[in-house]
Amino acid sequence: MIYHPWLCGRPKTENTKALSEALGLPRLVCDVLASRGFDTPEKARAFLSEETPISPPALLKNIDAAAQRIRRAVDEGEKIAIFGDYDVDGVCATALMYSYLESLGAEVYYKLPNRADEGYGLCRSSIDLIASRGITLIITVDNGVSAAEEVAYAAGLGVDVVVTDHHLPPETLPAAAAVVDPQLPGDESPCKALSGVGVAFKVACAVDDTPPEELLEWYGDLVAIGTIADIMTLTGENQAIVRRGVEMLQDSARPGVRALVEVAGLGGRSVSAENVSFGLAPRLNAAGRMDDATASLRLLLADDDEEAAELAAALDSYNQERQKTEREIVDSIAEKIRSDDRLSRRRVIVVWGEGYHQGVIGIVASRLVERFGRPAIVFSVDGEEARGSGRSVPGFSLYEAIAACGDLLVRFGGHDAAAGMSIRTDRLQAFSDAVNAFAAQRHPVMEVPPLRADAPVSLAGLTTDDVAALSALAPFGNGNPAPLFLLENAVLDAVYPVSEGKHSRLRLRQDGASIYAALFGVSPAALGYRPGDKVEALLSLSVYEGQNGPMLSARVKELRPAGLGNDYVRETQLYQSFLGGVELSAQQRQALLPTRAEVASVFRLARAEGIPAADLCPCFARLAPLGAGKVLVALQALSELELIEKKTAGGEERYVEHPVGGKRDLMSSPTLAALTG
């Protein structure tokens, strides 16, 4: 289990009371506003405003040149190709630009790269195909700013290129007819977090010479889907765009979007940004991951309900296949990590295998980060070369790490949080060793990002109206997460199995009031907490329609014993560093080294009750004087000496007394010997 520190905002009562009176909103909503820095009526109104202005397209550098070249192509009847990307943002941007130019009467075509055969961005084979059809203008969307060589090649074939992109530009820009990217040096547009489809939308506005608010009524749904899926910050202009776009998704004019909403199980329900992120976007993404993203584009462009329904069903099938493939790879890697001590102790998880589907290894890396709390790089091996995708944790630059090992790689690219690369198969182990050596030097203790609650919550007096009013803070996403609350001084009243025991439903009581809360991915047997235990929880709150009307419910983000605090997190991080081979100071070693009596206390607990292995927080609380680091060392030493073992019974893994038993010399434990040496 990953142990996160908990941080909780505690806004002043007088501030939230004043906000509540000024805004006419419940104190619960104002607690969140104040905790996020909107602690005056003026700041709060600016954040909540439905009228956040969308900045003029003209502020984007080079957009006039782009608009002029596109207008000329339309007016003179040139053939135009839209070249996009295989992810959701790229597909939405392609659909937007294609449908907009088609509405002007332009002769327009589209081309999306194939992930497996062509990779990301413009390539010569695509340019050759486009040029062979007499097309004289390519408009890139969500790519192109790094394609200097490809743009020059297109020019040599008599094809102009207008680049619209949102990625960080290299030092050498393409010699295109125009390059529009809010990240360009000297760009004066205020929103630097536009998605690829957001930039394409601004270019369409410039071509049309129409205020963004007007064209948003036609294309807001596409811009919203792409912006949410590409995890752009949902503040400022993006917040305004997504708010309007999500409204349009309730009853989209596009048959394809309506069919997508239905197949995602959202028909007749209120669609939110979270629904887009977890329901619509994965299905649109699945075609590009498992086969060809053109199927997703055809869905967005469909003008017939029957065709749209068939395409949406196909995407849903792709998504199910993607989920199955992803789950199989994640489970096999997780088992490999659990059974390999050396791999389980590494700071950066680097794994590879033949047959790993190229389209899902990025998602697999993300799942490994979620499960193990460390950066992860997954390679798909194909003969003598392997292609990899990595994801990281906050504070660890994955790009910097792989760049330090660049001499081992064939090619690489990316940023702090994610990266892609290829490598000769015979260099994989050397790369794994090198990237971990870099991590050990730069990050001797790998920090775990905190979980942040907006405010404490009191169940007494909490109403469905209070919780429903939290929707005023939407859309939720990157930069504006859904509110999270800290429930303190609670008692676990009851635990119920959900979905054949795959998940748990908890009844939590605080000062006489109670709430039901879902805990996903944890069975009652593996919970490690029992009715009557005093706990605290991080909760998201919601309202659902019950048999007797609106009812409150909650979802548990994380659960731990009441009053545990955050010291145990630092100690578990120090223990992981020790396992990873970091040279600890004498003081750090002493902080981890338990006495004989302390090891014995851990053994007695394992022998008497067994210690739940999935979540050791209850054990840390029971043995609080020891400290989490010493508990972990004691468990490791007792396991090495075969005095205890992990055993699974009834779906729960526990440390229990080893049946062989007998006396052992504690100092014969390699772990204890290493700490005392």
Side-chain angles (χ1 to χ4, degrees):
M1 180 175 178
I2 307 168
Y3 298 106
H4 299 87
W6 293 11
L7 301 179
C8 182
R10 296 184 184 273
K12 295 180 180 179
T13 302
E14 55 270 26
N15 279 7
T16 55
K17 183 178 179 182
L19 276 178
S20 180
E21 292 173 353
L23 302 173
L25 289 170
R27 287 281 295 278
L28 186 72
V29 178
C30 295
D31 279 343
V32 178
L33 286 167
S35 183
R36 298 185 180 188
F38 306 108
D39 52 0
T40 67
E42 294 73 25
K43 291 178 182 177
R45 287 192 184 99
F47 172 77
L48 296 168
S49 173
E50 297 283 350
E51 305 301 326
T52 302
I54 302 173
S55 64
L59 294 178
L60 281 160
K61 188 176 181 179
N62 303 326
I63 198 168
D64 287 343
Q68 289 173 16
R69 182 63 187 92
I70 295 170
R71 282 196 208 102
R72 177 158 65 86
V74 174
D75 293 342
E76 296 181 6
E78 294 181 62
K79 293 181 180 180
I80 305 170
I82 313 303
F83 189 91
D85 188 22
Y86 40 66
D87 70 356
V88 179
D89 188 19
V91 170
C92 288
T94 305
L96 187 153
M97 189 62 75
Y98 177 89
S99 55
Y100 168 70
L101 292 177
E102 191 178 50
S103 74
L104 299 182
E107 186 173 353
V108 59
Y109 302 84
Y110 58 73
K111 176 72 174 79
L112 301 179
N114 183 280
R115 183 191 297 264
D117 299 334
E118 298 166 307
Y120 170 79
L122 271 176
C123 63
R124 293 195 175 201
S125 61
S126 293
I127 295 169
D128 286 339
L129 176 64
I130 289 168
S132 71
R133 296 183 175 180
I135 293 167
T136 53
L137 176 63
I138 297 173
I139 303 171
T140 71
V141 291
D142 193 31
N143 73 96
V145 77
S146 298
E149 292 183 10
E150 291 77 11
V151 169
Y153 180 74
L157 298 178
V159 181
D160 282 349
V161 180
V162 168
V163 171
T164 77
D165 202 346
H166 71 130
H167 296 99
L168 285 170
E171 290 185 11
T172 302
L173 293 174
V179 178
V180 183
D181 186 330
Q183 306 287 349
L184 290 177
D187 183 276
E188 296 182 356
S189 60
C191 185
K192 302 303 179 186
L194 283 175
S195 60
V197 67
V199 177
F201 171 70
K202 290 285 187 85
V203 171
C205 292
V207 173
D208 208 66
D209 196 22
T210 299
E213 289 78 7
E214 291 186 20
L215 219 56
L216 197 64
E217 298 304 310
W218 295 94
Y219 300 109
D221 52 350
L222 295 178
V223 185
I225 293 171
T227 300
I228 295 166
D230 224 44
I231 320 180
M232 297 293 101
T233 52
L234 299 189
T235 56
E237 288 187 39
N238 280 346
Q239 182 188 48
I241 289 170
V242 169
R243 274 180 178 161
R244 180 65 191 112
V246 168
E247 287 176 8
M248 294 172 65
L249 290 171
Q250 311 297 329
D251 185 22
S252 176
R254 299 178 208 283
V257 171
R258 292 199 301 271
L260 186 64
V261 169
E262 285 293 329
V263 82
L266 300 171
R269 294 169 52 189
S270 177
V271 180
S272 67
E274 291 117 312
N275 295 149
V276 173
S277 182
F278 296 106
L280 307 189
R283 289 170 170 81
L284 286 173
N285 230 345
R289 291 191 179 280
M290 306 307 296
D291 188 13
D292 189 329
T294 305
S296 297
L297 179 57
R298 287 175 55 209
L299 174 68
L300 295 180
L301 296 174
D303 54 14
D304 175 81
D305 286 334
E306 186 174 343
E307 178 194 14
E310 291 177 0
L311 287 166
L315 293 193
D316 193 51
S317 179
Y318 276 130
N319 193 49
Q320 291 177 31
E321 181 186 354
R322 187 269 306 168
Q323 290 173 323
K324 180 175 180 291
T325 303
E326 170 200 324
R327 190 163 50 245
E328 289 172 349
I329 298 174
V330 169
D331 288 347
S332 69
I333 292 173
E335 181 56 36
K336 186 186 297 185
I337 292 171
R338 278 192 291 266
S339 61
D340 184 336
D341 284 345
R342 185 167 182 264
L343 184 57
S344 68
R345 294 173 181 182
R346 301 213 115 182
R347 270 172 185 67
V348 181
I349 297 169
V350 182
V351 289
W352 54 88
E354 293 187 5
Y356 287 176
H357 196 295
Q358 181 64 40
V360 304
I361 57 174
I363 303 178
V364 169
S366 294
R367 297 292 178 263
L368 295 176
V369 172
E370 292 170 5
R371 188 173 295 194
F372 295 101
R374 285 171 274 162
I377 303 172
V378 181
F379 286 96
S380 175
V381 175
D382 184 10
E384 295 181 357
E385 187 166 301
R387 295 170 65 183
S389 186
R391 300 293 184 269
S392 193
V393 296
F396 184 91
S397 171
L398 192 60
Y399 181 82
E400 186 181 357
I402 63 172
C405 313
D407 58 329
L408 294 169
L409 298 169
V410 175
R411 65 186 68 86
F412 64 90
H415 48 83
D416 287 352
M421 65 219 78
S422 60
I423 188 172
R424 279 175 34 193
T425 304
D426 59 4
R427 291 181 172 179
L428 281 166
Q429 188 59 58
F431 172 78
S432 177
D433 292 341
V435 79
N436 272 280
F438 171 90
Q441 181 182 18
R442 295 292 187 90
H443 299 271
V445 177
M446 190 73 77
E447 299 290 338
V448 177
L451 296 177
R452 298 180 183 275
D454 289 289
V457 66
S458 173
L459 296 183
L462 187 65
T463 69
T464 55
D465 288 343
D466 292 342
V467 175
L470 291 170
S471 63
L473 307 174
F476 300 123
N478 183 24
N480 186 42
L484 196 63
F485 299 96
L486 172 62
L487 180 68
E488 299 174 292
N489 303 314
V491 174
L492 179 61
D493 261 354
V495 182
Y496 308 94
V498 178
S499 299
E500 299 178 345
K502 295 178 183 177
H503 315 292
S504 298
R505 187 172 184 239
L506 316 180
R507 188 171 72 231
L508 299 168
R509 175 169 46 85
Q510 181 197 56
D511 296 332
S514 62
I515 193 169
Y516 286 95
L519 177 59
F520 292 104
V522 180
S523 69
L527 182 59
Y529 299 84
R530 297 293 176 260
D533 286 351
K534 294 181 179 179
V535 296
E536 53 194 27
L538 295 177
L539 302 177
S540 58
L541 300 172
S542 59
V543 177
Y544 71 98
E545 197 63 34
Q547 291 183 342
N548 299 316
M551 300 285 290
L552 282 176
S553 71
R555 180 172 177 174
V556 177
K557 178 73 173 179
E558 203 162 279
L559 185 73
R560 70 185 188 187
L564 183 60
N566 286 324
D567 286 348
Y568 74 99
V569 178
R570 177 183 52 79
E571 293 167 6
T572 59
Q573 291 168 356
L574 185 61
Y575 172 73
Q576 289 297 331
S577 297
F578 163 69
L579 289 183
V582 170
E583 188 66 35
L584 301 183
S585 68
Q587 183 178 6
Q588 288 174 322
R589 288 200 305 273
Q590 196 61 37
L592 291 177
L593 184 62
T595 64
R596 186 178 297 273
E598 288 169 337
V599 175
S601 67
V602 175
F603 175 71
R604 284 194 298 271
L605 182 60
R607 181 171 59 185
E609 303 177 18
I611 297 173
D615 179 3
L616 289 169
C617 284
C619 178
F620 297 154
R622 287 281 299 275
L623 302 171
L626 273 69
K630 291 183 178 182
V631 171
L632 290 167
V633 168
L635 288 170
Q636 178 71 16
L638 290 166
S639 298
E640 291 169 348
L641 297 171
E642 296 186 338
L643 291 169
I644 64 172
E645 64 177 346
K646 279 186 184 179
K647 203 163 188 178
T648 302
E652 180 188 32
E653 190 176 44
R654 299 174 78 87
Y655 289 98
V656 297
E657 183 180 10
H658 194 282
V660 174
K663 291 188 176 181
R664 300 286 192 279
D665 176 11
L666 281 182
M667 293 319 298
S668 64
S669 156
T671 296
L672 291 176
L675 283 170
T676 55

